[in-house]
Amino acid sequence: MLSKKRNTGLYLTVTLIVVVLGALAWFLITIFESEKPQIQLAPLPEFLKAEQAFKLDVGDMKRGLRNVKVSLKQGGREITAYEKAFPFEGLFNANGIHQFETTFSIDPDRLNLAQGRVDLEVSVRDYSRRNGGDGNLAVLSHEMTLDTIPPAIRAISRLHYVNEGGAGLVVYQASSDAVKSGVYVNERFFPGYPAANPADGHHVCYFGIPLDIGKDHNITLWAEDKAGNRSTAGFYCRVRHKRFRTEKINITDRFLEKILPYFAHYLKGMDGDEIDKFLKINLELRKENTATFAALKDRTTPERLWDGVWLRLNNAANMARFGDRRSYYYKGKEVDQQTHLGVDLASLAHSQVQAANNGIVIFAGQMGIYGKTVVLDHGQGLASTYSHLSGINVELGQKVGKGDIIGVTGQTGLAGGDHLHFGVMVNGLFVNPIEWWDSHWIENNVTRKLELLKAAQ
């Protein structure tokens, strides 16, 4: 009986010891936990060009947050940009701060930071008793470059006389830190391209003048560096305003019967009168085609491919001019208005179409209201378009020389008869093709300006 009591007492003693040791182990593990706090910081910019706001999110779900510090290091200096300590509250800091969010700003001018590298560091400690009681430390480091100086840009060519609906060329110089530059015509941007021998940052930029530019306009050089700093510079550019013809086009039922079957796939499932179907084509499909043409600017090569005066369709008469304001009438009522963005040239039916200049085929296929179409890239944002073709003789990506046969005229799309719709684009904007057929215009507006590059070297 006595032995049984002794065994029971021993069992209870051992159990108590185990419980005490377990509790002690739990206590030690809890207060000496090794999990580091978490840090989230946004944004993490590569460049710092002005006062920048940051969002900081830190957390420690075990022992809780002790403190957070944001510092900047540059050239042996350390600057505290933000700092906060958190109180220890409740048993095991149960009522302390375990999650914290804040925003702070870094103002380079106020902190007297110098241009160049800046190291941003966020350090967070928790209430663990590790590391001599200092707690677990988490650090987030991010390298930035302070750059608040915008790139330099200036025009080299001096006088620029451009026609409304026409094109122009400016030769300019941009500093080496500029990663993007060109010309803004109001809100429309025309990118520049390095010159053939880009010494000292020499660039060329072809730009177009929209038909609707009006009398109040702003045409400026523009440059941007890696940090996003931007600069502008004016240059002498005079826009000659032009008058464009007005044209009245009568839509007949016979014409609708002729052309609507061509667009059956586009009109599939559409109810309504024949004139409603025509308007859907002339309005909506035309907008889609214009957007497709404009998007081809992204396929241009940065090198100049063309040379000399551009070719015009042989033995062809002008049927419609660039910029014609067309009013469409059906049964005596005006139903639509559109602007003609090319030149219609008519020769013999199924005439061979030559490439206007050296280039690369960047489109060859169906183009809605324009029918079978070929688009050639001539480099540096210039392109030519050939529409209403009955046949296409080239393939996408093919290099062609000036005068090469690229297709045959026809009456595909909305064409009422066999002809070529010829267009010229500058960075996706249609401009007057007649200028590019004129040797004097090219000499005065392109060649002489490009010769300035040789003189500047």
Side-chain angles (χ1 to χ4, degrees):
M1 187 69 177
L2 183 60
S3 176
K4 185 175 182 180
K5 289 181 178 180
R6 288 177 178 175
N7 290 338
T8 300
L10 180 61
Y11 172 77
L12 291 175
T13 299
V14 172
T15 301
L16 180 60
I17 292 172
V18 169
V19 170
V20 171
L21 291 176
L24 180 61
W26 173 84
F27 174 78
L28 294 175
I29 291 173
T30 299
I31 65 171
F32 286 93
E33 57 89 11
S34 60
E35 185 175 305
K36 294 181 179 181
Q38 295 81 45
I39 306 174
Q40 291 184 345
L41 181 67
L44 294 174
E46 181 181 359
F47 293 93
L48 191 64
K49 63 176 182 176
E51 184 174 4
Q52 174 71 58
F54 294 84
K55 180 181 179 182
L56 177 63
D57 185 354
V58 295
D60 188 279
M61 303 314 294
K62 292 190 174 180
R63 294 287 286 157
L65 298 168
R66 181 191 295 264
N67 56 55
V68 57
K69 181 180 179 181
V70 179
S71 59
L72 299 170
K73 298 179 181 179
Q74 185 183 59
R77 297 171 60 207
E78 180 172 338
I79 305 168
T80 299
Y82 179 83
E83 189 171 19
K84 186 175 180 62
F86 305 97
F88 188 94
E89 297 183 358
L91 185 63
F92 298 111
N93 197 33
N95 298 326
I97 304 299
H98 293 266
Q99 196 76 30
F100 179 73
E101 294 182 8
T102 190
T103 58
F104 65 91
S105 295
I106 295 177
D107 186 342
D109 290 336
R110 184 176 61 82
L111 298 176
N112 197 27
L113 296 176
Q115 301 291 307
R117 176 174 170 173
V118 179
D119 292 310
L120 171 64
E121 182 177 282
V122 180
S123 60
V124 183
R125 288 188 181 274
D126 63 13
Y127 270 107
S128 171
R129 299 302 297 172
R130 279 182 173 266
N131 302 308
D134 290 335
N136 297 303
L137 173 65
V139 178
L140 182 151
S141 298
H142 176 66
E143 179 185 331
M144 303 179 292
T145 299
L146 176 60
D147 182 358
T148 62
I149 302 174
I153 188 169
R154 70 177 184 91
I156 296 176
S157 52
R158 295 185 178 277
L159 302 178
H160 307 81
Y161 297 94
V162 291
N163 296 315
E164 187 175 15
L169 169 66
V170 59
V171 177
Y172 65 92
Q173 184 181 38
S175 54
S176 59
D177 56 335
V179 295
K180 186 177 181 181
S181 61
V183 170
Y184 265 102
V185 178
N186 290 342
E187 301 301 318
R188 183 185 288 269
F189 179 67
F190 296 87
Y193 297 89
N197 296 310
D200 298 325
H202 293 157
H203 288 70
V204 297
C205 179
Y206 295 92
F207 59 96
I209 304 300
L211 286 165
D212 59 354
I213 192 170
K215 294 184 179 181
D216 295 327
H217 53 263
N218 186 32
I219 303 175
T220 57
L221 287 168
W222 176 93
E224 182 179 67
D225 63 17
K226 287 183 178 180
N229 297 302
R230 298 172 179 176
S231 59
T232 59
F235 65 100
Y236 184 87
C237 185
R238 180 178 177 183
V239 177
R240 301 187 186 98
H241 294 281
K242 297 291 184 178
R243 289 188 176 183
F244 298 93
R245 299 189 312 177
T246 59
E247 183 180 12
K248 181 178 178 179
I249 298 178
N250 289 309
I251 306 299
T252 65
D253 290 330
R254 182 178 179 182
F255 173 75
L256 295 176
E257 290 175 2
K258 177 184 176 182
I259 61 99
L260 288 181
Y262 184 86
F263 299 95
H265 63 288
Y266 182 75
L267 300 170
K268 187 176 180 179
M270 178 182 174
D271 297 326
D273 297 334
E274 302 296 86
I275 188 61
D276 294 329
K277 296 178 181 179
F278 168 79
L279 292 176
K280 180 179 176 64
I281 296 167
N282 209 39
L283 287 166
E284 297 180 20
L285 185 55
R286 182 185 294 272
K287 289 181 180 179
E288 293 178 18
N289 298 155
T290 300
T292 301
F293 275 127
L296 293 174
K297 68 182 185 297
D298 297 330
R299 301 187 187 181
T300 193
T301 178
E303 292 81 27
R304 175 182 170 181
L305 303 178
W306 66 280
D307 182 49
V309 179
W310 295 32
L311 299 182
R312 183 179 181 278
L313 183 68
N314 289 330
N315 303 315
N318 284 346
M319 303 301 293
R321 299 178 184 176
F322 177 83
D324 285 353
R325 268 55 173 196
R326 291 177 165 178
S327 296
Y328 296 83
Y329 285 80
Y330 180 69
K331 295 182 178 180
K333 180 181 178 181
E334 184 177 3
V335 293
D336 195 13
Q337 291 183 345
Q338 297 293 339
T339 300
H340 193 240
L341 298 178
V343 176
D344 287 348
L345 303 170
S347 182
L348 298 174
H350 302 298
S351 295
Q352 291 184 329
V353 177
Q354 297 173 304
N357 220 307
N358 309 323
I360 299 173
V361 180
I362 55 174
F363 183 89
Q366 293 287 348
M367 181 70 83
I369 67 170
Y370 297 92
K372 291 183 178 180
T373 296
V374 171
V375 181
L376 300 182
D377 170 42
H378 302 290
Q380 298 177 334
L382 296 178
S384 57
T385 68
Y386 311 78
S387 299
H388 302 313
L389 303 176
S390 60
I392 294 175
N393 296 358
V394 290
E395 298 178 349
L396 192 65
Q398 180 177 335
K399 293 183 178 180
V400 298
K402 183 194 296 188
D404 288 351
I405 305 303
I406 60 174
V408 179
T409 64
Q411 49 184 325
T412 55
L414 275 182
D418 187 295
H419 72 279
L420 171 69
H421 176 92
F422 177 73
V424 173
M425 293 189 295
V426 178
N427 198 51
L429 175 71
F430 280 103
V431 295
N432 198 338
I434 293 178
E435 295 178 339
W436 299 89
W437 295 332
D438 186 343
S439 60
H440 295 291
W441 183 89
I442 289 180
E443 172 67 22
N444 293 331
N445 294 277
V446 179
T447 306
R448 289 182 180 178
K449 288 183 172 62
L450 294 178
E451 287 175 352
L452 295 172
L453 293 170
K454 299 178 182 179
Q457 293 177 4

